[in-house]
Amino acid sequence: MNIHKGEIILLLGHNGAGKTTIIKSLFGLVEYKGCLKMDGQELSLRKARDLDLFKRETSYISDEIALFDYLTPSEYFSLMKSTSHNKIDDHFLHRLIDLFELNRYLNHPISMLSHGNKKKTQIVSQIFKKPRYIIFDEPTNGLDPDMIIVLKKVLHIIKKMNIGILLSTHNLSFGEELYDYIVVLRDGKVKLNATKEQVKERFRNHSLEEIYTKVNEDYYRHVEGILNELYEANC
């Protein structure tokens, strides 16, 4: 699997398919077999230098919200600025704060914020550093419809900033417009690994939901059998 700068790779699969395992492997949290390279340089996450390089150049927005919730968003952003190795663009940060409507909450303890505002704080804290790569795991969890639309537009912009994005989500409609490359997993096995152009050539004008169903046709054939039994027994 290759994450290229200026492209979005969409990682799809059911719960337990292996998506989070892949992401944890990238950060050295799970042992893996294989080779990890960044910009052509092979990295060993057992080496502190290589692990530091990967973490310095890669932002991670997990599906779980892990923040120092005794800080305010303003204090948390300042902390992220102090630990960033990249030159910080304060104007970019303030525009993101405006977009995600966090201004009124900047001086409130994170612990007092709603789940959605905590999620927005988490997203802004990783995007504004302008890393070379960003890994999103279920980025829409906790966001309202307005913020999902805003996030989608922000992803288009950071993609144009030549940042490579790995996007893992169960929200097929969210990922459908964004991806340049797609990987579909089932039970740890790759069911589809293709560019958007290859997907269009193979599946024509099918929606991403239809493509996902076709790729996992054995599973959905089994589901249809159970549904038919339920219908015949109860209707």
Side-chain angles (χ1 to χ4, degrees):
M1 185 169 66
N2 296 299
I3 307 171
H4 298 289
K5 293 177 184 175
E7 292 185 359
I8 295 177
I9 181 167
L10 183 61
L11 185 61
L12 297 179
H14 60 92
N15 289 332
K19 306 183 303 298
T20 300
T21 298
I22 288 175
I23 292 171
K24 287 183 176 179
S25 297
L26 290 174
F27 287 89
L29 300 175
V30 174
E31 289 290 330
Y32 64 90
K33 295 179 181 178
C35 177
L36 172 64
K37 292 184 178 180
M38 175 180 282
D39 298 336
Q41 176 184 344
E42 186 171 344
L43 303 180
S44 171
L45 298 184
R46 293 181 178 178
K47 297 179 180 178
R49 180 185 61 186
D50 287 357
L51 183 59
D52 287 344
L53 172 64
F54 184 82
K55 290 183 176 180
R56 184 166 65 245
E57 302 294 349
T58 307
S59 282
Y60 175 38
I61 301 170
S62 69
D63 59 337
E64 299 177 355
I65 302 175
L67 304 170
F68 298 126
D69 60 6
Y70 52 86
L71 299 177
T72 66
S74 180
E75 291 168 338
Y76 190 71
F77 296 147
S78 294
L79 177 63
M80 293 298 101
K81 287 168 67 173
S82 69
T83 60
S84 175
H85 293 266
N86 299 327
K87 185 177 180 180
I88 297 301
D89 182 344
D90 284 316
H91 179 73
F92 183 60
L93 170 59
H94 293 311
R95 293 288 85 188
L96 288 174
I97 290 171
D98 289 341
L99 277 172
F100 286 98
E101 299 179 352
L102 285 170
N103 278 300
R104 72 179 73 175
Y105 306 108
L106 286 177
N107 296 312
H108 293 207
I110 293 173
S111 61
M112 302 297 291
L113 301 184
S114 68
H115 180 81
N117 284 319
K118 289 178 182 178
K119 186 68 179 180
K120 291 187 286 184
T121 300
Q122 179 191 34
I123 290 171
V124 171
S125 72
Q126 295 303 309
I127 290 179
F128 86 85
K129 295 185 288 185
K130 296 183 182 178
R132 283 198 275 179
Y133 302 96
I134 298 178
I135 297 174
F136 285 91
D137 193 2
E138 295 299 343
T140 62
N141 282 357
L143 297 182
D144 62 33
D146 286 339
M147 290 299 102
I148 290 175
I149 293 170
V150 167
L151 177 59
K152 190 182 296 185
K153 293 179 182 297
V154 169
L155 287 178
H156 278 297
I157 290 174
I158 61 178
K159 173 181 164 180
K160 290 179 180 178
M161 292 163 56
N162 205 33
I163 293 173
I165 301 168
L166 172 62
L167 178 63
S168 173
T169 182
H170 290 145
N171 188 334
L172 298 180
S173 61
F174 180 79
E176 186 161 19
E177 298 176 26
L178 292 168
Y179 80 93
D180 300 288
Y181 203 95
I182 188 170
V183 174
V184 178
L185 301 175
R186 177 158 291 276
D187 298 325
K189 297 180 180 179
V190 177
K191 303 291 288 186
L192 178 65
N193 190 337
T195 65
K196 195 164 199 171
E197 290 71 25
Q198 291 169 333
V199 169
K200 287 181 178 179
E201 183 177 342
R202 177 176 169 184
F203 297 100
R204 303 301 176 187
N205 295 319
H206 288 92
S207 69
L208 189 55
E209 181 177 331
E210 291 170 327
I211 293 168
Y212 184 83
T213 303
K214 285 179 178 291
V215 167
N216 292 289
E217 59 183 348
D218 291 344
Y219 170 77
Y220 283 100
R221 192 179 299 120
H222 172 69
V223 168
E224 285 299 325
I226 296 175
L227 291 173
N228 288 334
E229 285 183 23
L230 288 174
Y231 178 79
E232 291 170 2
N234 295 280
C235 297

